[in-house]
Amino acid sequence: MDFKLSDSQEAIRDAVTRICKTFKDDYWLQLDRKGGFPIDFFKAMAADGWLGVCIPEEYGGSGLGITEAAIMMRAVAESGGGMAAASSIHVNVFGLHPVVTFANAEQKRRMLPPVAKGEVRSCFAVTEPNVGLNTTQLKTRAVRQGDAYRVNGHKVWISTAQVAEKIMILARTTPLDEVRKPTEGLSLFYTDMDRKAIDIHEIDKMGRKAIDSNELFITDWDIPARDLIGEEGRGFHYILHGMNAERVLLAAEAVGLGSLALARGATYAKDRNVFNRPIGQNQAIQHPLARNWMELQAAWLMTMQAAWQYDTGQDAGAGANAAKYLAAEAGYSACETAIMTHGGYGYAKEFHVERYLREILVPRIAPISPQLILCYIAERVLGLPKSY
Ligand SMILES: Cc1cc2nc3c(=O)[nH]c(=O)nc-3n(C[C@H](O)[C@H](O)[C@H](O)COP(=O)(O)OP(=O)(O)OC[C@H]3O[C@@H](n4cnc5c(N)ncnc54)[C@H](O)[C@@H]3O)c2cc1C
């Protein structure tokens, strides 16, 4: 068993870190205050080809695995950019997985190269206000009318919808009472964001202000039938297929942000003198930081194991869910410790750690809550009765 990163994986981490380091703490602080998409950062990552890391080479990407993407996303978050940086490129890096796996050749040629080059930004629209985590109950309807699907419905929390040129959307094409199982009858589309038919309202939220989150009101939107991915009615299965990989990436981002917070906490503990000695000389300050290091290390090992399982075609369900859970909890704890280590200054924006705490809640909540992961492990690993 070899736990060391390969030379090429180390090279990926170092190259990504070099780009990210040109975007200083104040860049992210300003965006956190004022909002606005980090377009310079997005362009810099696109220019060096990082957005296409998981897209096959024949469509302009690098054709690498989730392991490499996770190493990259950890480096992005850990560099200082946190979830704002990671979320600005997250959908480009992995969101097009259903197209890579299930689209026809014409669609792949049309859809993938612009994403790999960073010529378009895409958003991903699944969540609905009255449905929550019970995705099979989605109410947004798509009805076939000639060469198009007419879509009506309501989505919520859709990140980057203010700036995205493209949208991947899940909608019901066959009513629930006409399907054998609720997982059937949902269809997936990747298409142009038609702002005439979609009314987009930004949600005023707690953190990650640079990455807008939105409510979408969709009225009589005609999506060309050629933008349907795969077979009509199989959309839920296509989304499920990429879910484990997405959890691995979120886990990597949470470990990155947690490690960033830990580094800041440890540095401050060495530098800050109270009672004529560094505060880091006190065990009450040392121990939480040491515990955070261990928790983050363990979460990273689980993340890398799940990535390896995914890339080698093994069942990554339990590993990816466990990684996402452990990484988000470890990251949250590290961000909280960083604030407490800073004392009063931890509450000041110019020390950055309060921003990290607000951002780490995103991978804790989304795309699946910690409670539902515990339900999954209880049912699928421990064989307990399904509870939801
Ligand atoms: C910043 C941010 C960005 C997001 N970006 C996107 C995006 O780009 N695209 C997108 O589609 N979605 C996005 N989301 C939505 C996100 O995926 C959902 O918020 C998340 O899946 C939880 O769904 P919900 O908010 O409807 O919670 P609910 O389903 O309403 O759940 C509320 C709480 O109840 C708990 N709960 C519910 N049922 C059970 C049960 N049976 N047992 C135990 N506990 C239960 C949940 O765990 C949770 O804690 C984003 C969310 C946030 C906060």
Side-chain angles (χ1 to χ4, degrees):
M1 202 174 288
D2 186 354
F3 289 96
K4 196 177 169 301
L5 296 188
S6 68
D7 290 348
S8 60
Q9 289 169 341
E10 281 187 5
I12 289 172
R13 184 197 58 202
D14 295 346
V16 168
T17 302
R18 261 196 309 279
I19 300 172
C20 295
K21 285 288 178 199
T22 63
F23 296 88
K24 309 276 183 226
D25 289 334
D26 280 349
Y27 176 80
W28 298 110
L29 179 59
Q30 283 309 315
L31 288 173
D32 182 64
R33 285 200 168 115
K34 295 189 178 148
F37 188 81
I39 189 69
D40 301 329
F41 170 75
F42 180 90
K43 282 184 179 165
M45 293 297 282
D48 282 11
W50 294 109
L51 301 188
V53 69
C54 292
I55 291 178
E57 284 177 286
E58 58 187 307
Y59 301 110
S62 315
L64 296 171
I66 281 301
T67 307
E68 284 72 24
I71 291 165
M72 164 181 153
M73 294 310 276
R74 174 179 172 168
V76 166
E78 195 167 355
S79 70
M83 292 308 293
S87 301
S88 74
I89 59 171
H90 184 99
V91 175
N92 280 66
V93 169
F94 192 71
L96 272 279
H97 174 78
V99 174
V100 171
T101 314
F102 301 106
N104 62 39
E106 180 277 323
Q107 289 175 320
K108 287 184 197 183
R109 279 196 302 275
R110 180 159 56 89
M111 296 170 177
L112 294 175
V115 174
K117 287 188 214 143
E119 290 167 358
V120 296
R121 284 166 288 178
S122 311
C123 64
F124 200 79
V126 173
T127 307
E128 293 186 9
N130 299 320
V131 173
L133 289 154
N134 196 1
T135 308
T136 61
Q137 304 300 306
L138 292 183
K139 303 281 182 289
T140 295
R141 279 284 276 135
V143 180
R144 179 91 192 225
Q145 293 183 352
D147 287 343
Y149 284 84
R150 176 150 288 200
V151 181
N152 282 281
H154 189 181
K155 295 281 178 186
V156 73
W157 282 116
I158 311 311
S159 300
T160 74
Q162 296 286 337
V163 295
E165 292 85 10
K166 293 278 182 180
I167 179 168
M168 184 166 293
I169 181 165
L170 190 63
R172 185 157 279 290
T173 37
T174 309
L176 254 184
D177 54 12
E178 291 174 28
V179 290
R180 280 180 301 135
K181 289 190 282 183
T183 50
E184 294 172 359
L186 289 161
S187 298
L188 191 65
F189 304 87
Y190 180 69
T191 191
D192 291 333
M193 178 74 110
D194 180 353
R195 289 170 196 280
K196 287 195 211 91
I198 311 173
D199 201 8
I200 305 173
H201 294 261
E202 185 165 355
I203 299 169
D204 194 11
K205 63 187 188 309
M206 180 178 182
R208 211 195 60 172
K209 194 171 170 65
I211 308 300
D212 54 272
S213 297
N214 305 276
E215 205 163 353
L216 271 51
F217 299 88
I218 304 166
T219 311
D220 291 341
W221 175 27
D222 290 327
I223 299 182
R226 69 188 195 125
D227 290 345
L228 170 74
I229 303 301
E231 280 176 52
E232 185 184 301
R234 300 271 304 152
F236 185 77
H237 301 278
Y238 301 156
I239 296 273
L240 270 190
H241 193 271
M243 224 166 234
N244 290 333
E246 208 208 353
R247 284 178 195 170
V248 170
L249 294 190
L250 257 308
E253 293 164 23
V255 170
L257 181 50
S259 303
L260 172 65
L262 175 61
R264 278 198 178 272
T267 302
Y268 191 82
K270 283 178 218 157
D271 293 347
R272 172 78 168 164
N273 281 291
V274 183
F275 295 106
N276 301 316
R277 59 184 192 159
I279 56 167
Q281 202 174 332
N282 302 303
Q283 288 182 344
I285 290 290
Q286 289 180 357
H287 287 185
L289 293 165
R291 189 168 56 242
N292 290 148
W293 181 85
M294 293 189 286
E295 288 170 356
L296 288 164
Q297 285 291 114
W300 182 240
L301 285 177
M302 183 60 95
T303 305
M304 285 291 95
Q305 180 188 284
W308 167 76
Q309 287 170 330
Y310 186 87
D311 284 339
T312 51
Q314 302 174 62
D315 180 3
N321 276 287
K324 194 313 241 181
Y325 179 96
L326 294 171
E329 299 307 309
Y332 179 78
S333 177
C335 291
E336 189 185 21
T337 307
I339 292 186
M340 297 312 285
T341 304
H342 281 70
Y345 290 110
Y347 212 61
K349 285 191 187 281
E350 66 172 294
F351 284 79
H352 304 287
V353 286
E354 62 78 37
R355 170 160 52 89
Y356 303 159
L357 185 72
R358 289 184 281 113
E359 289 193 0
I360 197 70
L361 281 160
V362 177
R364 243 189 140 193
I365 295 169
I368 184 170
S369 68
Q371 291 91 340
L372 264 283
I373 290 182
L374 293 171
C375 294
Y376 175 94
I377 298 293
E379 180 199 347
R380 302 292 180 91
V381 180
L382 304 179
L384 299 172
K386 183 171 177 171
S387 65
Y388 55 96

